[in-house]
């Protein structure tokens, strides 16, 4: 049964989750691209600082969440919310520490700290699942919704930041940008697989609500149309421009990519919060 809570009331929760996902996913994507493409400490450190800023905003919104918030009629556990807040602080501090190590330490040291930072981000997402999941079918259900979203949104932002980094390092190979777009493809494929799995395993009421009833328009137009189909098309164009070393159109496409990803991820989370289906 859909939750009667209004979407504006759910927007702060969705914002908390999405900002955390973007920060964690971007950190992972930037770390992976640096390992494969040797982008360098400047890009990774700058990206970590930007993610730290996103997490600072996330912490502010978390602190302002009203007490007694509920999803699908069940109140969120206060202890789990407190744990999420503490781990979000820890992740923010780790991001700032990672940026510092990128500036002054050796490559080996900064990569160790980067791996630890990714671990803090993973724990923060797990705590978000523990805070919001019990009201929505369980912690595992929330993880199914949050992890693919983190990968697709993070890889898109990392790609956009990398596209701008070519202004700082014009002689940088385009191989890292192609690898960043490859991560987008993998993340979108995972997201699509999750959607298909959820539709096949959900009850008839929830499936009908998503496919042809009250939530069908945002599901088909935004979650599937923008988040899967359009995002894939834009990623293909971006990779083409990266292959021919056309940085300006590639960066422009990355802006469009970010918009299409957000237009898919945010409605997907809102539908998750009102139906319990982790799309």
């Amino acid at each position: 049964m859909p939750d009667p809570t209004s979407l504006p009331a759910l927007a702060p929760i969705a914002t908390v989750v999405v900002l955390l996902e973007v920060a964690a996913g971007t950190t992972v994507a930037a770390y992976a691209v640096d390992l494969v493409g040797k982008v360098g400490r400047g890009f990774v450190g700058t990206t970590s600082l930007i993610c730290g800023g996103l997490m600072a905003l996330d912490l502010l919104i978390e602190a302002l969440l009203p007490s007694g918030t509920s999803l699908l009629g069940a109140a969120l556990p206060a202890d789990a919310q407190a744990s999420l807040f503490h781990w979000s602080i820890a992740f923010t501090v780790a991001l700032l520490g990672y940026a510092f190590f990128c500036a002054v330490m050796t490559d080996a040291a900064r990569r160790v700290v980067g791996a630890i930072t990714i671990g803090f981000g993973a724990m923060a997402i797990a705590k978000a699942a523990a805070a919001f999941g019990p009201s929505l079918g369980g912690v595992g259900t929330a993880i199914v919704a949050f992890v693919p979203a983190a990968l697709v949104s993070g890889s898109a932002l990392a790609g956009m930041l990398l596209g701008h980094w070519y202004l700082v390092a014009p002689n940088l190979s385009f191989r890292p940008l192609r690898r960043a777009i490859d991560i987008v493809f993998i993340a979108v494929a995972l997201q699509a697989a999750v959607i298909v799995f959820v539709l096949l395993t959900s009850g008839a009421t929830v499936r009908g609500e998503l496919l042809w009833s009250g939530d069908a328009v945002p599901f088909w137009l935004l979650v599937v149309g923008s988040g899967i189909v359009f995002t894939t098309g834009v990623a293909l164009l971006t990779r083409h421009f990266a292959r021919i070393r056309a940085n300006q159109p590639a960066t422009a496409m990355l802006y469009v990519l970010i918009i299409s990803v957000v237009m898919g991820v945010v409605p997907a989370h809102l539908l998750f919060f009102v139906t319990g289906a982790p799309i």
Side-chain angles (χ1 to χ4, degrees), residues 79-254:
D79 56 342
Q81 281 187 270
S83 182
L84 167 62
F85 188 72
H86 295 152
W87 276 99
S88 295
I89 293 174
F91 181 38
T92 305
V93 173
L95 284 167
L96 297 178
Y98 186 24
F100 173 78
F101 268 69
C102 287
V104 301
M105 296 298 180
T106 65
D107 285 345
R110 72 177 173 85
R111 284 175 177 147
V112 170
V113 173
I116 294 171
T117 302
I118 289 171
F120 276 104
M123 279 300 300
I125 288 181
K127 293 299 180 179
F132 305 126
S135 303
L136 300 166
V139 175
T141 301
I143 288 176
V144 168
F146 295 165
V147 171
L151 292 177
V152 70
S153 58
S155 58
L157 180 58
M160 191 194 73
L161 295 175
L162 181 57
H164 284 83
W165 194 252
Y166 285 91
L167 299 174
V168 178
N171 295 324
L172 182 66
S173 166
F174 272 71
R175 183 169 178 260
L177 184 57
R178 292 195 297 270
R179 297 292 82 80
I181 301 304
D182 289 342
I183 298 174
V184 173
F185 286 131
I186 294 170
V188 171
L190 178 61
Q191 184 82 53
V194 166
I195 290 174
V196 172
F197 175 78
V198 169
L199 290 175
L200 291 176
T201 56
S202 294
T205 301
V206 171
R207 186 164 55 246
E209 186 73 21
L210 291 173
L211 294 180
W212 51 74
S213 188
D215 296 320
V217 172
F219 174 75
W220 286 111
L221 185 62
L222 297 176
V223 177
V224 176
S226 178
I228 302 297
V229 178
F230 192 72
T231 294
T232 301
V234 174
L236 285 169
L237 276 174
T238 305
R239 201 181 192 290
H240 166 71
F241 288 129
R243 184 176 60 82
I244 64 174
R245 300 183 60 83
N247 183 51
Q248 289 186 347
T251 303
M253 286 296 100
L254 286 164

Side-chain angles (χ1 to χ4, degrees), residues 27-90:
T27 304
V28 171
Y31 187 88
V33 167
D34 181 47
L35 282 180
V36 175
K38 310 298 182 185
V39 182
R41 64 178 62 235
F43 167 73
V44 181
T46 302
T47 300
S48 185
L49 278 177
I50 292 171
C51 290
L54 292 176
M55 284 304 302
L57 178 59
D58 188 71
L59 286 169
L60 175 62
I61 299 173
E62 280 189 51
L64 296 176
L65 281 179
S67 59
T69 303
S70 64
L71 294 172
L72 289 179
L76 300 180
D79 56 342
Q81 281 187 270
S83 182
L84 167 62
F85 188 72
H86 295 152
W87 276 99
S88 295
I89 293 174

